[in-house]
Amino acid sequence: MQGTDYPDVVRCEHVGSLPYGVDAHAEIEEGPVGKQYDRNALVEIIRFLAPGRDDHVRAIQRREDDGALQELLIRLEADRKIVRLDSSEPLDQVIPRLRSLFMYPTEMNLRWTKALRVKFEAYGPGTDVEKLLEYIGTRSLAVGTALVEIDTQADQYALAFVSARRSHELAAVAPGHIGTIPRQHVATGSLSTEARQSADQSSSHAEPDLGSQLRSGISWMAVYLLGSSPESILDELGLVDTGTAYTPGSSALGGTVLPNWLVIVNHHADRFGYVGKTELLQRLSGPGTYAVACYHSADTGESSAVQWFGGTRWWSVQHDPSQIEGPDHLDYWGNLYWDFAKIRATAWKKHKAARDHGHLYQVPLTAASDWTGFAETMPLTELIERG
């Protein structure tokens, strides 16, 4: 298989430095402590909001009970999973700070205007931030995203955005310490008609079982070449490169080598595709190594992508118009800390304008392609199974 340099391909700047690789000591704020969190509950909050962050888990477990909560808040804020606001925060700073979160629901199109500021200033001092958060929480629910609050045991808000459908899962891991804004519990199936029509899934604690939902289509897998040659990986998979150019119908499999990546494409993937082959992806994404898989079917309108790192599923994205949200469905989970929010927001804007789910169909494909630099239009060589 010949490696080819594609100068017009977008390269992923994140590959080469391990995500979240530094476990730096956090400066902990000391202060009076009220009711205690169980440290096991704090660990579950971390696993929900920042999956894969074992360094955070270890740091919380090392802390005494009276320091564990501050450790959690500082680390989640550093990861841009939460934002902490004071009740006296200037109104014109609240929205920019919330917008800094990775999961801020840009689809709700909330704009800071003079009229809005006047409206909330009319409530009087001391209540402005709370009223504004109630308003933002209501608006975010309309696009299927809940604004949740972690009890800081102080006069301070610690806020995050999660899927409205899954916000009850977060509340369940730390009973009495997690609430939603507006001040109500958002249970599964309780979304309004508007929310169901516009729902856009957010990061969740439970990893979606993508493979069990997929049907036949095209699937490709990219393995990061860290200390392994393309030939050794092909040999491990029982595949042989024929050295001839891939042509449709000649074989189900084709492949190519990009800078740092080996890509294998299955043009007749079963309902699982590479996305659903968790044991394979776990093995190929060994210590310090990435594996990215993508699946799509024009017949069913489904598409999905997943990334594994160090033997752990790191993120996944799926569009499935057969779900209750119909063509508005977009489910994403995990450490989507790169340009995914921009990809999602751009596609959602086009989707709402055209009412064509093809734009959301492209989101998983774009996410996988941007990460690896692979495009399905690139020339491939034919692969066959070793006889």
Side-chain angles (χ1 to χ4, degrees):
M1 187 184 306
Q2 299 295 318
T4 307
D5 189 15
Y6 297 90
D8 57 339
V9 173
V10 177
R11 305 298 180 199
C12 177
E13 298 178 356
H14 304 282
V15 175
S17 60
L18 305 185
Y20 301 136
V22 179
D23 185 8
H25 175 71
E27 293 296 327
I28 301 301
E29 301 172 3
E30 302 295 343
V33 177
K35 56 187 176 182
Q36 296 290 338
Y37 271 91
D38 183 301
R39 275 185 295 179
N40 292 332
L42 297 177
V43 167
E44 290 306 312
I45 293 173
I46 283 288
R47 287 174 174 164
F48 189 106
L49 293 176
R53 292 307 308 263
D54 292 340
D55 57 321
H56 289 353
V57 170
R58 292 191 299 270
I60 289 172
Q61 291 172 335
R62 288 195 300 262
R63 285 283 172 184
E64 298 295 331
D65 287 342
D66 59 356
L69 175 58
Q70 285 298 327
E71 182 80 50
L72 172 130
L73 296 175
I74 288 173
R75 286 174 176 269
L76 286 179
E77 189 168 41
D79 288 351
R80 288 171 57 193
K81 298 294 185 180
I82 68 168
V83 65
R84 286 191 283 178
L85 302 173
D86 293 325
S87 58
S88 59
E89 194 93 16
L91 286 182
D92 56 1
Q93 294 181 18
V94 172
I95 292 178
R97 295 198 62 195
L98 287 171
R99 287 182 68 91
S100 71
L101 294 173
F102 285 116
M103 289 300 146
Y104 177 82
T106 55
E107 299 88 340
M108 68 182 178
N109 195 29
L110 180 62
R111 299 177 184 274
W112 185 257
T113 64
K114 181 178 179 180
L116 185 61
R117 179 168 184 169
V118 169
K119 174 180 178 179
F120 287 106
E121 286 180 343
Y123 285 110
T127 61
D128 293 5
V129 170
E130 182 175 354
K131 293 293 185 180
L132 179 58
L133 293 179
E134 290 276 332
Y135 178 78
I136 294 172
T138 301
R139 289 292 299 270
S140 68
L141 280 176
V143 294
T145 303
L147 178 61
V148 300
E149 178 186 4
I150 301 173
D151 179 15
T152 64
Q153 304 179 8
D155 187 20
Q156 188 180 63
Y157 298 94
L159 305 165
F161 287 106
V162 301
S163 164
R165 290 185 177 277
R166 295 165 177 164
S167 60
H168 67 289
E169 296 175 18
L170 177 56
V173 304
H177 298 292
I178 303 291
T180 57
I181 301 177
R183 309 291 182 180
Q184 61 186 33
H185 176 62
V186 183
T188 303
S190 66
L191 296 182
S192 65
T193 301
E194 179 184 6
R196 287 197 301 271
Q197 292 173 343
S198 305
D200 179 20
Q201 303 296 304
S202 182
S203 180
S204 76
H205 181 53
E207 300 178 15
D209 182 12
L210 297 179
S212 65
Q213 302 176 32
L214 304 182
R215 303 178 180 89
S216 61
I218 297 175
S219 183
W220 57 266
M221 172 178 63
V223 182
Y224 188 61
L225 300 174
L226 180 67
S228 299
S229 66
E231 292 75 18
S232 65
I233 296 175
L234 288 175
D235 185 63
E236 179 183 352
L237 297 174
L239 299 176
V240 176
D241 175 21
T242 66
T244 61
Y246 173 85
T247 56
S250 62
S251 172
L253 301 177
T256 188
V257 177
L258 303 179
N260 300 319
W261 294 96
L262 165 67
V263 182
I264 300 171
V265 184
N266 186 345
H267 294 87
H268 302 291
D270 58 21
R271 61 179 300 191
F272 296 99
Y274 290 119
V275 171
K277 298 184 182 300
T278 53
E279 291 185 3
L280 175 64
L281 294 172
Q282 185 175 36
R283 185 175 80 249
L284 293 176
S285 63
T289 305
Y290 300 85
V292 176
C294 183
Y295 170 92
H296 63 98
S297 170
D299 292 335
T300 64
E302 294 174 281
S303 61
S304 61
V306 63
Q307 182 209 324
W308 285 69
F309 170 76
T312 301
R313 186 183 299 183
W314 210 252
W315 56 257
S316 62
V317 186
Q318 183 191 28
H319 170 65
D320 182 0
S322 70
Q323 298 297 314
I324 188 173
E325 298 90 348
D328 288 348
H329 177 267
L330 188 66
D331 191 13
Y332 45 96
W333 173 90
N335 284 300
L336 294 152
Y337 50 85
W338 32 288
D339 289 338
F340 177 75
K342 183 178 180 180
I343 294 171
R344 182 196 67 182
T346 300
W348 186 265
K349 182 178 180 179
K350 293 179 179 178
H351 168 73
K352 299 300 285 186
R355 301 305 303 171
D356 175 5
H357 78 93
H359 298 294
L360 297 186
Y361 176 86
Q362 290 294 325
V363 171
L365 281 60
T366 302
S369 293
D370 279 8
W371 189 268
T372 61
F374 173 70
E376 292 183 21
T377 56
M378 292 177 177
L380 308 172
T381 57
E382 183 183 74
L383 304 178
I384 58 174
E385 294 184 0
R386 187 173 56 233

